[in-house]
Amino acid sequence: MSEPASTHHAHGHGAHDDHHHEENFFLKYFWSTDHKVIGMQYLLTGMFMALFGGFFPYVFRMQLAFPGISVPFYGVVSPTEYNALVTNHGTVMIFWVAMPVLIAAFGNYLIPLMIGADDMVFPRLNRLSYQVFAVSVVVIIASFLVPQGGFGGAWTAYPPLSANPDYNLTPWGSTLWLVAVALEFIAFLIGGINFITTAMNSRAPGMRWSDVPMVVWMICIASILFMASVGPLMAGAVMLAFDQNLGTHFFDPKAGGDPILWQHLFWFFGHPEVYVVLLPATGIVAEVITTFSRKKLFGYKTILYTAIGTGVLSFFVWAHHQFIAGIDPRMANVFTVTTVLISIPIAEMMFLFIATLYGGSIRFKTPMLWALSFIALFMIGGVTGIPLGASGSDIYLHDSYYVIAHFHYTFFPIAIIGSFTALTYWFPKMFGRMMNETLGQVHFWITAIAVNGIFIPLFVLGAAGQHRRIYNYNHFAQLSTPDLQALRILATVSLVILLLAQFLFLFNFFYSMFFGEKASKNPWKGCTLEWTTESPPGHGNWPADQLPTVYRGPYEYGVEGRDEDYWPQNVPN
Amino acid sequence: MIERLIQPVSTFAGDIDQLFFGIHMVVGFWFFLVQGMFFYLLFRYRYREGVPTTYVTGKEKHLKKWINIPHILIILCDVGVIFFAVQTWYNVKQNLPEADATIRIVSQQWAWSFVHPGEDGELGTDDDIKTVDELHVQEGMTYHFQLESRDVLHSFSVPVFRLKQDAVPGRVITGWFEPMHTGVYDIQCAEMCGIGHGIMGARIHIESAEDHAAWIASKKGT
Amino acid sequence: MHGKPIANTRSATGIPTAKLAVYWLIGSEIVIFGGVLISYLMHRLGHPEWAYDAAHTQTWIGAINTFILLTSSLFAVQAHHFAEKKEGATAARWLYLTALGGGMFLCLKAYEWYGEISHGYTITAAPFWSFYYTAAGIHASHVIAGMIIMLFVAQTAKKNEELHRVENVGLYWHFVDLVWIFLFPLLYIAK
Ligand code: HEA
Ligand code: HEA
Ligand code: CUA
Ligand SMILES: [Cu+2]
């Protein structure tokens, strides 16, 4: 199993020759074990789900801005539908957009290319991971087509509401929702094991751990975090499923169960989960800012330590979602301390990214604009986590729109901006063509401005006492004032603008895929290994006898005494 | 900042508003500092013809201090935030002052019922006053509340009090508040509790001593 | 069929790739069982009265099952031993024996559950029983999975192919065994 790398030639060559025959379309795109194809499958599925995840807020925000109207392309929103839309918006965005795009799509696509391997170590397991994921997609979509409609008990699915159809009135929706989420977890566990073992074992000859590109590190750390935190929730999901369908009472206080137990299991996963999506996005940003500022990453190892530190700390903060949930009030103090302290590694990471710009030669191409806007906007989300983590002020802010605004200022930069950063940056590699720069910039500016138009009003609304998951504020005298309504309308209008701008992107994406200008191997002059092969890379990524060997770190930009301002990892000298 | 948007009506509302304001000052300072630095660097080191990039690893002492000093200052700020946060929390949630009266709050899908102590000031006696979706309290009195739920999780939230507490079936959770100004304000349910979550509101009537006595008298025998 | 990727033949850590993956798999399973067990323990400590229900578990069946699983783990070690010596056929025989141990475990379990259910101690009877069936049920599903994988591995091992898999499936089996070592005292002995 573990022969030295030099013996690979013969073996690899044989394997490569097998693939010169034409595969039929089905085998090539649906039954492939090629990590690039699987990455693409995840990407397109994630983008498809983003259409749902983006359409739902359009519907429910229209309802909030203009209560009771018949929403164009949807109709009148009933309270049940409102709840189901919000619940599934949250669930879909996190589990079917952020995770598949940031981790699975780019993890699959980039890990082998960036570590100089021809594929994942377990290609068939990889295919299985996508297939399980595809089933989960079908199940979650099915969950809102069943009688009584989709699950509406919030993405946190707190029992007893979620456990008992007498309370939630969606016997089918809630079970299918749970099954879909569990399947998705399984897909990511399989995928994660594959990512981690690949990165650990299959690096190109010469690649030390400090030569591994940051995004690979981040995806692996995220996969480990996910793996370590999701277990208890898997167990909890089994228990909840039994409560729903077999009549057990794990979470039902009337028969000796405990609803708070679920909250612990959920948030023990839920909080690390936010860093599971954060870290890959920061990894992507690290790649892009180094390339476009022509700078070595400032403090590579320190960034790594901050990521690991964040990951470790994230296991000790979960109860900050439960300060007022009826847990022992003394516990809140412990969790306030850990929560506020997590600002330290994250602040440090942001500082290091910003310090990377120092002394550079910054080019504001579309991917760079996205990466920079990630830093600028994520910081808003980050600092507003502090008033929430401070137990005293969370008494007021909990479950208000302040929380909503806080986490959209983290999630939007991560899931949407992070994805755009990665897509625009690696598009030439993935499809062999360049995206249109002008369209890309127009799309960037509209999106980046509109997102503030959505979520800044929500901070104000939250501070004014507006609660979450309420389909019509007219029932509350203090919340139905014209001033507050104006803010709601502002948010909704900004959202509509933002959504319309996405058509620019989709057009650019599909148009450039077929008609864009042909891309060279290394259009951005990057140092990492994926830029040393064809765009798009062929089967096996490199000809089997030319797999790269690594001589240096991934960010050697501007080294003195060289003609070029970059020094690819695979060039001997 | 909050008090501009919504009136503070309990004795601890002001503390929470202050804490909120204080934290925002601290993080706001850092936020603008960091963003300022960020945009300055973007402008200063933008691409210019003929100006090469530099090779910096991040190990240089004179540059590293730009990370390390803020790092230590942030730890100090964190300690401050934690101190004031815990102090406020302790006063609102952990330390219950002596009660003048106790009320019971029962939540269920999707209504609130309130049990007031009535004339004798004692809960659990015959003259208790039960109401649905309206709570009557007297200005300047310290209340304890016993919060219960009959079915799923709910959350008793009075924005003007800055008070929120989840109701958990099978448990009785005790908390306190002391209303400051008379008026009628919203009570909301702040925990997803099913289809009617969005309409699960109630009103709190804060009355002067005379008005409150009059209200109790009017309920006598019902 | 696609050939094995070159990636699969590298080993930068020095640990064979498949073994590394098994370690990660076991790691991810530990947290699943950890979740069940910690949930159970929190409840159990909070509800001394569960002991009445726990008193109805049949300790001796649990004990025999513990013994069976431990023995089968020993067989798995034997299988590994012969796989190291490249004696695939012998290794396969030991694997069959290991799987047989799993089968006996399941039969006893079925007998035990049948008895309990017919006495009315069903999964909904009391919270203790919910945990009892859920924890042991998740464990049993791992036993089944382990057996199936073992039979597949035995098929290839017989032909002296992919002998490294014998060790890997053995590792997994030890883990499944270990989980039972935790479950047994918690569900049967603590009364
Ligand atoms: C990826 C998403 C993401 C990220 C990264 C974060 C990051 C953080 N979150 Fe957030 N959070 C969510 C997603 C996320 N969160 C979601 C989805 C919810 C709601 C779930 C629900 O109920 O539905 C939530 C809710 C939530 C709550 C519960 C609120 C409530 O319901 O009552 C709390 C409370 O502590 C919290 C805190 C924090 C903190 C302290 C951080 C920290 O990691 C932030 C650290 C970063 C910084 C601090 C910025 C950089 C630092 C500086 C510029 C230096 C200056 C700073 C200081 C001096 C402190 N979050
Ligand atoms: C990753 C997470 C994520 C993302 C990106 C978003 C994006 C958005 N969210 Fe959401 N949201 C949540 C996670 C997320 N949300 C969660 C967890 C909840 C809580 C649910 C609960 O309470 O249970 C929530 C709740 C929530 C509420 C509260 C509802 C309520 O409590 O009543 C609101 C209200 O305005 C809202 C609005 C929006 C809006 C306007 C966007 C917009 O930014 C959306 C814009 C959409 C797009 C930009 C997608 C279209 C883009 C493409 C098709 C391009 C291709 C795509 C890729 C390259 C990926 N969200
Ligand atoms: Cu009751 Cu929400
Ligand atoms: Cu959190």
Side-chain angles (χ1 to χ4, degrees):
Chain A
M1 285 260 38
S2 47
E3 306 104 294
S6 57
T7 59
H8 293 154
H9 284 192
H11 172 92
H13 217 88
H16 192 70
D17 284 346
D18 291 346
H19 294 292
H20 283 302
H21 62 84
E22 280 297 309
E23 287 165 323
N24 75 32
F25 184 82
F26 176 79
L27 281 182
K28 191 159 170 208
Y29 291 106
F30 293 97
W31 206 249
S32 172
T33 52
D34 184 340
H35 72 99
K36 299 185 290 298
V37 177
I38 295 173
M40 246 27 131
Q41 290 170 334
Y42 267 116
L43 178 67
L44 292 175
T45 319
M47 285 174 65
F48 171 71
M49 293 307 276
L51 296 176
F52 284 95
F55 179 69
F56 292 173
Y58 156 75
V59 177
F60 65 71
R61 280 236 57 94
M62 285 297 274
Q63 156 69 18
L64 292 178
F66 313 104
I69 64 153
S70 168
V71 179
F73 310 111
Y74 185 84
V76 178
V77 184
S78 72
T80 328
E81 285 167 356
Y82 183 90
N83 290 347
L85 288 167
V86 170
T87 302
N88 286 293
H89 157 67
T91 318
V92 165
M93 277 295 194
I94 296 176
F95 296 128
W96 280 277
V97 179
M99 301 260 298
V101 174
L102 291 171
I103 301 181
F106 288 104
N108 261 311
Y109 198 86
L110 296 175
I111 290 176
L113 278 168
M114 286 186 130
I115 63 172
D118 60 339
D119 205 332
M120 288 285 175
V121 285
F122 304 118
R124 280 182 294 163
L125 217 53
N126 210 11
R127 182 179 63 197
L128 179 69
S129 151
Y130 178 75
Q131 287 163 342
V132 175
F133 176 74
V135 175
S136 79
V137 168
V138 174
V139 177
I140 191 74
I141 293 176
S143 86
F144 24 97
L145 303 177
V146 291
Q148 283 101 18
F151 175 57
W155 80 289
T156 50
Y158 283 0
L161 180 67
S162 60
N164 191 337
D166 292 345
Y167 294 144
N168 60 41
L169 306 178
T170 53
W172 287 95
S174 45
T175 301
L176 287 180
W177 179 90
L178 190 64
V179 170
V181 172
L183 283 174
E184 200 261 5
F185 289 167
I186 293 170
F188 278 85
L189 281 175
I190 302 174
I193 291 177
N194 213 345
F195 291 176
I196 302 164
T197 26
T198 305
M200 282 176 82
N201 252 358
S202 306
R203 277 169 283 141
M207 185 178 252
R208 296 162 303 165
W209 65 266
S210 55
D211 298 333
V212 176
M214 199 43 86
V215 65
V216 175
W217 266 113
M218 292 296 189
I219 290 175
C220 289
I221 296 174
S223 298
I224 296 173
L225 266 184
F226 178 77
M227 200 183 272
S229 61
V230 81
L233 186 60
M234 286 287 271
V238 172
M239 298 197 259
L240 186 58
F242 284 180
D243 270 13
Q244 287 175 345
N245 300 305
L246 296 185
T248 54
H249 301 283
F250 287 110
F251 302 118
D252 183 356
K254 289 208 178 95
D258 181 7
I260 308 269
L261 170 65
W262 169 267
Q263 300 184 8
H264 288 301
L265 297 175
F266 185 88
W267 289 118
F268 182 79
F269 161 75
H271 193 88
E273 168 68 12
V274 306
Y275 301 115
V276 169
V277 294
L278 169 66
L279 294 181
T282 59
I284 290 165
V285 168
E287 301 301 322
V288 173
I289 55 173
T290 49
T291 310
F292 288 92
S293 58
R294 316 307 293 159
K295 273 293 305 293
K296 190 180 170 75
L297 202 54
F298 192 95
Y300 176 96
K301 287 191 187 166
T302 321
I303 290 188
L304 209 55
Y305 297 146
T306 61
I308 295 170
T310 309
V312 172
L313 254 181
S314 74
F315 285 96
F316 302 97
V317 302
W318 79 89
H320 66 214
H321 296 271
Q322 300 161 256
F323 283 149
I324 57 152
I327 59 173
D328 186 333
R330 284 168 300 182
M331 294 244 286
N333 299 329
V334 178
F335 284 96
T336 292
V337 174
T338 52
T339 301
V340 173
L341 288 184
I342 219 164
S343 64
I344 297 166
I346 297 189
E348 178 127 355
M349 187 192 287
M350 293 299 133
F351 293 169
L352 291 164
F353 285 164
I354 293 171
T356 300
L357 302 169
Y358 168 84
S361 168
I362 302 167
R363 287 122 221 248
F364 297 97
K365 288 285 174 50
T366 322
M368 184 61 164
L369 291 175
W370 286 116
L372 296 173
S373 69
F374 172 89
I375 296 175
L377 293 180
F378 173 76
M379 210 117 69
I380 303 181
V383 294
T384 53
I386 303 301
L388 298 173
S391 47
S393 46
D394 189 56
I395 302 170
Y396 178 60
L397 297 172
H398 175 71
D399 265 345
S400 73
Y401 262 62
Y402 192 92
V403 177
I404 298 281
H406 151 67
F407 73 72
H408 282 88
Y409 262 114
T410 52
F411 268 141
F412 190 89
I414 291 169
I416 307 295
I417 294 185
S419 304
F420 283 141
T421 314
L423 262 181
T424 47
Y425 182 59
W426 281 290
F427 188 91
K429 185 54 61 185
M430 298 174 104
F431 301 101
R433 293 179 185 267
M434 305 299 287
M435 282 178 96
N436 183 308
E437 181 68 22
T438 321
L439 262 182
Q441 299 224 358
V442 173
H443 169 236
F444 166 79
W445 283 108
I446 301 181
T447 307
I449 293 169
V451 66
N452 293 294
I454 306 177
F455 295 116
I456 285 180
L458 300 192
F459 274 124
V460 181
L461 285 166
Q466 172 173 322
H467 285 135
R468 304 167 65 174
R469 302 160 180 159
I470 287 179
Y471 79 104
N472 186 342
Y473 290 98
N474 290 341
H475 297 286
F476 301 98
Q478 285 174 294
L479 292 177
S480 45
T481 63
D483 288 354
L484 297 184
Q485 196 58 31
L487 288 173
R488 284 180 204 124
I489 294 174
L490 174 58
T492 303
V493 170
S494 309
L495 170 64
V496 172
I497 295 173
L498 183 137
L499 284 176
L500 290 177
Q502 302 318 310
F503 289 107
L504 285 178
F505 172 78
L506 290 177
F507 170 76
N508 193 355
F509 184 81
F510 289 107
Y511 180 84
S512 307
M513 200 186 283
F514 298 105
F515 307 109
E517 189 192 323
K518 279 250 184 317
S520 64
K521 272 187 178 182
N522 190 358
W524 313 122
K525 301 197 189 333
C527 295
T528 41
L529 295 178
E530 80 274 26
W531 303 114
T532 65
T533 181
E534 298 303 320
S535 306
H539 195 95
N541 297 343
W542 287 269
D545 50 353
Q546 289 170 31
L547 283 172
T549 303
V550 168
Y551 298 94
R552 67 187 60 74
Y555 307 111
E556 297 302 304
Y557 294 100
V559 179
E560 271 132 71
R562 291 186 58 82
D563 301 340
E564 294 271 16
D565 70 350
Y566 67 112
W567 200 357
Q569 285 190 280
N570 68 329
V571 178
N573 45 54
Chain B
M1 287 191 265
I2 301 178
E3 66 278 4
R4 299 239 189 138
L5 295 163
I6 180 167
Q7 218 184 328
V9 178
S10 71
T11 46
F12 50 64
D15 299 344
I16 291 182
D17 291 358
Q18 256 175 27
L19 176 67
F20 182 86
F21 179 76
I23 295 176
H24 277 78
M25 286 302 111
V26 175
V27 297
F29 167 77
W30 282 101
F31 175 75
F32 286 108
L33 192 72
V34 176
Q35 297 277 14
M37 191 70 186
F38 178 59
F39 282 101
Y40 167 74
L41 289 175
L42 285 182
F43 176 76
R44 170 71 182 73
Y45 295 104
R46 68 193 184 281
Y47 168 74
R48 276 163 303 173
E49 196 63 49
V51 182
T53 176
T54 48
Y55 188 75
V56 176
T57 62
K59 293 198 187 94
E60 300 81 355
K61 276 228 168 63
H62 70 286
L63 291 178
K64 249 180 113 170
K65 70 167 191 268
W66 284 87
I67 304 290
N68 291 340
I69 294 172
H71 180 98
I72 292 167
L73 292 179
I74 284 184
I75 299 183
L76 292 179
C77 292
D78 280 354
V79 172
V81 168
I82 292 171
F83 178 79
F84 289 105
V86 169
Q87 193 187 34
T88 310
W89 173 264
Y90 180 80
N91 290 333
V92 179
K93 290 285 182 184
Q94 253 176 284
N95 180 31
L96 307 189
E98 200 65 27
D100 296 322
T102 302
I103 51 174
R104 180 173 307 130
I105 305 171
V106 182
S107 52
Q108 70 192 87
Q109 281 181 328
W110 293 284
W112 298 96
S113 22
F114 301 101
V115 185
H116 308 73
E119 235 163 14
D120 61 358
E122 293 285 323
L123 211 58
T125 51
D126 285 346
D127 70 343
D128 286 358
I129 303 170
K130 294 201 178 110
T131 56
V132 173
D133 288 349
E134 78 183 57
L135 172 62
H136 289 257
V137 292
Q138 182 183 328
E139 178 193 18
M141 291 241 287
T142 305
Y143 285 89
H144 279 191
F145 60 82
Q146 295 172 346
L147 183 59
E148 296 167 26
S149 165
R150 292 223 176 109
D151 36 43
V152 300
L153 301 175
H154 300 273
S155 188
F156 176 72
S157 168
V158 187
V160 286
F161 284 179
R162 314 290 186 264
L163 174 67
K164 198 173 284 140
Q165 177 61 55
D166 281 9
V168 184
R171 300 189 193 189
V172 180
I173 296 171
T174 309
W176 75 282
F177 58 80
E178 181 183 336
M180 287 201 311
H181 306 292
T182 56
V184 183
Y185 306 97
D186 279 343
I187 296 173
Q188 304 182 6
C189 173
E191 188 64 72
M192 169 50 82
C193 54
I195 294 171
H197 168 66
I199 53 166
M200 191 167 157
R203 304 284 279 168
I204 182 165
H205 298 249
I206 303 172
E207 294 151 346
S208 61
E210 306 88 79
D211 288 354
H212 193 60
W215 177 76
I216 292 179
S218 76
K219 287 284 165 184
K220 212 167 180 173
T222 52
Chain C
M1 260 321 294
H2 293 236
K4 251 192 196 165
I6 297 167
N8 192 287
T9 61
R10 287 178 176 169
S11 179
T13 55
I15 307 170
T17 303
K19 195 165 170 184
L20 196 59
V22 172
Y23 283 141
W24 283 110
L25 175 71
I26 291 176
S28 68
E29 298 261 34
I30 286 176
V31 279
I32 298 183
F33 284 104
V36 182
L37 289 181
I38 289 176
S39 305
Y40 169 72
L41 272 177
M42 298 303 278
H43 274 283
R44 187 72 201 263
L45 295 175
H47 298 269
E49 72 277 11
W50 285 19
Y52 297 117
D53 292 304
H56 296 286
T57 55
Q58 287 157 313
T59 315
W60 59 274
I61 299 191
I64 296 177
N65 258 343
T66 312
F67 177 73
I68 294 175
L69 273 193
L70 280 176
T71 318
S72 75
S73 250
L74 208 65
F75 295 165
V77 174
Q78 283 295 319
H80 174 208
H81 173 77
F82 285 102
E84 293 275 87
K85 295 207 288 187
K86 305 266 180 274
E87 293 177 28
T90 325
R93 268 199 296 283
W94 282 106
L95 282 183
Y96 288 133
L97 276 179
T98 317
L100 188 70
M104 281 167 67
F105 174 88
L106 290 174
C107 290
L108 265 177
K109 196 106 248 154
Y111 167 76
E112 181 191 15
W113 283 13
Y114 176 77
E116 277 153 1
I117 290 171
S118 56
H119 280 89
Y121 302 121
T122 60
I123 188 164
T124 54
F128 171 80
W129 293 107
S130 305
F131 271 108
Y132 173 83
Y133 287 107
T134 307
I138 300 180
H139 176 258
S141 67
H142 283 74
V143 173
I144 297 172
M147 282 165 61
I148 295 174
I149 302 169
M150 205 148 349
L151 295 179
F152 273 110
V153 172
Q155 288 312 309
T156 46
K158 237 181 356 205
K159 296 177 232 151
N160 260 333
E161 282 164 18
E162 311 276 7
L163 284 178
H164 66 281
R165 288 183 181 167
V166 175
E167 181 186 4
N168 293 334
V169 74
L171 282 174
Y172 183 74
W173 194 254
H174 295 324
F175 162 73
V176 172
D177 208 14
L178 191 74
V179 171
W180 181 256
I181 303 289
F182 277 92
L183 285 180
F184 174 57
L186 289 174
L187 294 178
Y188 291 82
I189 297 183
K191 290 207 159 135

